[in-house]
């Protein structure tokens, strides 16, 4: 698979977990801030829409969204 395809899959996965948790970008920013991750709206939107974010960022997002287990 091409890198762009992987990036799109990462974006879709994160966005779907946000929808399931009922969390918007603003809500994600607030939840991340609560664990010490400082991100702006523009920064979050760019990362997620590009799908080019670190695994650490992905794990932080899953933590604040309450996702403890995931099937790929």
């Amino acid at each position: 698979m091409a890198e762009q395809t992987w990036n799109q899959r990462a974006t879709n996965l994160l966005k779907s977990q946000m929808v399931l948790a009922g969390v918007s970008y603003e809500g994600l920013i607030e939840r991340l801030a609560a664990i010490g991750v400082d991100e702006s709206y523009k920064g979050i939107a760019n990362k997620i829409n590009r799908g080019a974010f670190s695994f650490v960022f992905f794990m932080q997002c899953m933590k604040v969204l309450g996702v403890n287990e995931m099937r790929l």
Side-chain angles (χ1 to χ4, degrees):
M1 247 190 290
E3 184 174 343
Q4 183 178 5
T5 303
W6 285 109
N7 289 352
Q8 188 60 50
R9 289 184 73 176
T11 293
N12 292 343
L13 185 58
L14 179 49
K15 284 184 175 181
S16 68
Q17 292 302 316
M18 289 174 65
V19 169
L20 289 172
V23 175
S24 64
Y25 284 163
E26 291 89 357
L28 184 62
I29 291 165
E30 290 172 9
R31 289 178 182 210
L32 287 169
I35 64 166
V37 179
D38 186 32
E39 289 283 348
S40 67
Y41 182 92
K42 187 176 180 179
I44 289 278
N46 284 337
K47 277 184 185 184
I48 293 173
N49 290 327
R50 271 194 332 261
F53 40 79
S54 71
F55 187 64
V56 169
F57 175 76
F58 180 79
M59 289 176 43
Q60 291 166 332
C61 290
M62 293 302 104
K63 175 70 174 172
V64 301
L65 293 173
V67 178
N68 296 316
E69 197 171 302
M70 176 177 292
R71 291 182 62 112
L72 300 177

